[in-house]
Amino acid sequence: MQAEHLLSIGATLGEGPVWIDGALWFVDIKNDTVFRFDPASRDLARWKAPEHVGWVLPSGQRGLIAGLMSGPHRFLPETGAFERIAHVQADLPDNRLNDAAIDGEGRIWFGTMDNLEESATGLVFVLDKGAVTQATLSPVTITNGPAISPCGARLYHVDTLGRRVIRHAIAPGGTADAGEIFLDFNDDAHADWGYPDGAICDAEGAVWLGFFGGGAARRFSPDGTLTHEARFPVSNITKVALGGADGHTAYATTARQGLSDAQRAAEPLAGDIFTFRVEVPAPLARHANT
């Protein structure tokens, strides 16, 4: 498949696309900006966040839940206000929240990372009814995903710099086991694939991954088989969301970060939003219990 250009943004680090109530929400992490795009009307709204913002997710209560640098906040689009829910890793001021997903019980699983991308201080945490606890996952430098299967029993945690995806079992109480390798891209066959970035699951439990530096998004079945690939005219594909009226439209965020001046000149669409159609739709929507 070839992804098509949808929206000019020029994001430094576009991330966190998610389909909420008929619109695409996403962020530019390094420019502290939340976006909402309505594909039907072409209306684009934006809000400035007080810190780096990694994601927004739908809440079963008022507003949305946003992952800011210091921790999760309640975000009220009607006023633009951000209300802190909790501090996370307050002893590591250079860490920030990076990516997140909601499980079947409304818990938000989210990762942290060193904003300088140097230290292995990134962990996975769980936000459950306003309380944050650390999940039992090993630290990495850049966390991505996590993606959660439609059945809610499996969590896919991306170790981006380690170029691998770990699959964990989620216990009913909301803890994850030590996990096992699901995908590993550290071989010659994948040398030009770049780094696995944001992850989501579709309705069949397959995993879509964006590849930073690889110019593609790829779908892997639950047994790890590559089933589909979407190619892009830009290098840094950060994450895919599934949505649209029928759930069969993919939307992808991209980034300009890390590109040289020559690469930016060669990729004028870097940092923009792209789209393509998929065979398997999005799973049922979930809302946070916070």
Side-chain angles (χ1 to χ4, degrees):
M1 295 178 286
Q2 187 67 35
E4 299 179 357
H5 185 260
L6 177 67
L7 182 64
S8 296
I9 293 292
T12 300
L13 187 53
E15 256 291 6
V18 60
W19 185 260
I20 304 174
D21 296 335
L24 179 71
W25 291 78
F26 59 97
V27 303
D28 183 349
I29 294 176
K30 293 305 179 78
N31 286 311
D32 310 341
T33 306
V34 177
F35 296 87
R36 179 189 183 275
F37 176 65
D38 183 340
S41 67
R42 303 288 300 183
D43 178 65
L44 177 66
R46 65 187 73 198
W47 295 261
K48 199 69 174 177
E51 306 168 0
H52 287 347
V53 54
W55 44 267
V56 295
L57 289 172
S59 172
Q61 302 179 32
R62 60 192 180 97
L64 306 173
I65 306 300
L68 270 58
M69 185 163 182
S70 61
H73 286 59
R74 189 174 304 282
F75 167 48
L76 305 175
E78 62 273 18
T79 65
F82 290 83
E83 303 172 353
R84 185 183 308 280
I85 296 171
H87 279 280
V88 176
Q89 293 183 309
D91 59 325
L92 298 172
D94 288 331
N95 269 27
R96 63 172 173 83
L97 275 60
N98 191 51
D99 204 357
I102 302 173
D103 70 14
E105 301 300 319
R107 297 175 291 240
I108 296 180
W109 296 72
F110 64 90
T112 64
M113 62 170 281
D114 176 15
N115 194 40
L116 302 177
E117 302 180 11
E118 296 174 351
S119 301
T121 55
L123 294 167
V124 174
F125 294 83
V126 180
L127 173 64
D128 186 9
K129 298 177 182 176
V132 173
T133 57
Q134 181 182 320
T136 55
L137 307 181
S138 300
V140 300
T141 302
I142 299 178
T143 62
N144 261 298
I148 298 172
S149 63
C151 67
R154 289 180 294 277
L155 178 144
Y156 297 89
H157 173 222
V158 183
D159 175 1
T160 293
L161 293 188
R163 302 187 74 221
R164 60 182 190 167
V165 181
I166 314 300
R167 179 170 54 198
H168 304 265
I170 299 177
T175 59
D177 70 4
E180 60 184 0
I181 301 293
F182 173 62
L183 298 169
D184 192 326
F185 303 107
N186 290 288
D187 56 21
D188 292 342
H190 302 99
D192 62 348
W193 278 30
Y195 295 88
D197 204 311
I200 62 165
C201 289
D202 64 20
E204 290 183 350
V207 178
W208 275 99
L209 286 171
F211 281 83
F212 198 97
R218 296 181 174 92
R219 180 185 185 268
F220 299 87
S221 66
D223 67 2
T225 301
L226 174 65
T227 65
H228 296 79
E229 177 183 79
R231 300 295 302 181
F232 291 71
V234 297
S235 297
N236 298 333
I237 319 308
T238 53
K239 191 173 183 178
V240 171
L242 301 180
D246 60 0
H248 286 265
T249 300
Y251 301 94
T253 46
T254 67
R256 295 167 59 85
Q257 178 172 295
L259 298 179
S260 66
D261 290 343
Q263 288 173 315
R264 291 189 181 195
E267 299 182 19
L269 303 181
D272 289 354
I273 305 298
F274 292 80
T275 187
F276 56 94
R277 295 286 288 174
V278 297
E279 297 176 10
V280 180
L284 294 176
R286 294 166 172 166
H287 290 73
N289 62 22
T290 295

